[in-house]
DNA sequence: AAAGCAACCCCAATATCTAGGGGTAAGAGT
DNA sequence: ACTCTTACCCCTAGATATTGGGGTTGCTTT
């Protein structure tokens, strides 16, 4: 690991802690050469395959930007959006795939967005699922009425899995 | 490190390679529990302190978005922007700070942007440095004429430092 | 079509990291 | 004012990762 101070190529780990409930490891390193210290973070890779076929790292920011438009004039603040993006990331990581289709990201946004704000959810779904008529809206609304909000799979799953965690 | 497949908390490293010219380490891990494999990447932390005081991870995307506007109708493509953002990140990392003021990011953009396109550079500088009159433009133009393009410090520095690298 | 590159796979020795302990200090939240 | 949390500091023995070798495959780029 290159030292960001002197660019020497080698450094040793001084301290190491799991962080983010174990989904990443934070290390404190010391440059073998100049002795300066810096922090690093190790995270599971999560790449998104765009429709063009190109692949890029998952970005919470992009999720937020996509959803923000749907939240205009709605009681949704940046913290809500940040939390939503976190949940989406969680959901995607828990599928286990290292590479995920961009469309899957769109899908993963739906459940937590519904929990956050049903109006924003409708707007978002109308774009994402290509609503073409008033009936499409009505259909979705009927669905919303019929299906009670369920805790998104991520959470229910993690409740099953979590007993194994300390 | 939590397994993204089964969420078990422990995994072991199967393989480990420096990547990105040593600025990060890519590991292949195997879950102790379910045996599935996944990749991780360890990178030096680089946080940006926004004017609000909030801190967020550095994002090349944000740099690109900021510069793209200045590049309208200019012969600058996405690859150029990606390269520029990479250079900016490089420049910031080589300062050694783990946290950097948002303003520093703006500053770091200037030299590589000038190398890329002087028109875009002028536009960007006029916003970033709050030009208020035609004279400000003239002054900057005079400066550009006076100072030949110098390889940005990052590169000249790395040429000094690189002999130590293999 | 061939070369280059990035990710993937395997192995073995030793150097290095981790876990667990126990701390301090600063900032956010109540 | 106090608690919580996070980042920082230090220590040690045993467990684990790293390096360097070797190799495959598939995608870009020439």
């Amino acid at each position: 690991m290159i030292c960001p101070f002197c660019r020497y190529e080698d450094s040793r780990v001084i301290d190491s802690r799991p962080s983010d409930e174990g989904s990443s490891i934070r290390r404190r390193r010391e440059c073998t050469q100049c002795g300066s210290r810096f922090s690093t973070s190790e995270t599971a890779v999560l790449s998104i395959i765009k429709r063009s076929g190109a692949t890029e790292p998952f970005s919470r920011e992009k999720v937020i930007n996509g959803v923000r438009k749907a939240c205009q004039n709605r009681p949704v603040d940046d913290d809500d959006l940040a939390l939503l993006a976190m949940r989406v990331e969680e959901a995607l990581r828990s599928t286990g795939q290292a590479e995920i289709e961009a469309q899957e990201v769109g899908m993963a946004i739906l459940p937590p967005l519904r929990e956050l704000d049903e109006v924003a959810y409708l707007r978002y779904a109308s774009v994402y699922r290509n609503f073409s008529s008033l009936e499409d809206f009505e259909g979705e609304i009927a669905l919303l009425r019929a299906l009670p909000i369920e805790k998104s799979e991520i959470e229910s799953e993690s409740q099953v899995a979590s007993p194994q965690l300390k």
Side-chain angles (χ1 to χ4, degrees), chain A:
Chain A
M1 174 70 72
I2 281 190
C3 167
F5 296 82
C6 71
R7 324 202 114 248
Y8 186 67
E9 59 179 315
D10 200 22
S11 61
R12 356 170 312 157
V13 173
I14 298 296
D15 202 2
S16 152
R17 306 282 156 178
S19 82
D20 245 338
E21 291 168 359
S23 67
S24 66
I25 300 173
R26 153 172 272 280
R27 297 192 180 81
R28 188 83 185 140
R29 306 189 91 113
E30 182 175 86
C31 175
T32 325
Q33 184 96 145
C34 72
S36 48
R37 293 176 168 195
F38 57 99
S39 298
T40 62
S41 171
E42 176 178 356
T43 332
V45 170
L46 183 59
S47 303
I48 304 307
I49 307 165
K50 299 200 277 195
R51 256 160 305 168
S52 69
T55 145
E56 64 174 21
F58 171 81
S59 143
R60 291 192 194 176
E61 269 307 315
K62 293 205 166 182
V63 170
I64 292 176
N65 290 147
V67 173
R68 201 193 306 270
K69 282 168 258 158
C71 293
Q72 284 199 311
N73 293 107
R74 293 267 80 212
V76 170
D77 62 30
D78 283 2
D79 286 347
D80 294 328
L81 290 175
L83 182 63
L84 179 132
M86 217 170 72
R87 293 231 245 154
V88 170
E89 181 172 346
E90 249 287 76
L92 295 176
R93 289 201 186 278
S94 71
T95 66
Q97 265 78 48
E99 306 212 317
I100 297 201
E101 304 268 347
Q103 204 184 219
E104 302 277 325
V105 182
M107 297 274 273
I109 287 173
L110 292 172
L113 181 54
R114 181 186 171 190
E115 273 185 64
L116 186 56
D117 187 283
E118 293 197 318
V119 172
Y121 169 89
L122 258 186
R123 290 178 186 156
Y124 186 85
S126 78
V127 175
Y128 174 68
R129 300 213 283 223
N130 267 93
F131 285 13
S132 56
S133 67
L134 299 179
E135 286 71 30
D136 289 338
F137 274 94
E138 286 183 323
E140 189 64 38
I141 291 168
L143 266 178
L144 288 178
R145 291 240 170 79
L147 300 170
I149 292 185
E150 19 173 310
K151 289 288 162 193
S152 45
E153 294 127 49
I154 324 113
E155 301 199 50
S156 32
E157 266 176 30
S158 65
Q159 258 141 26
V160 175
S162 52
Q164 300 184 332
L165 305 172
K166 283 179 201 167

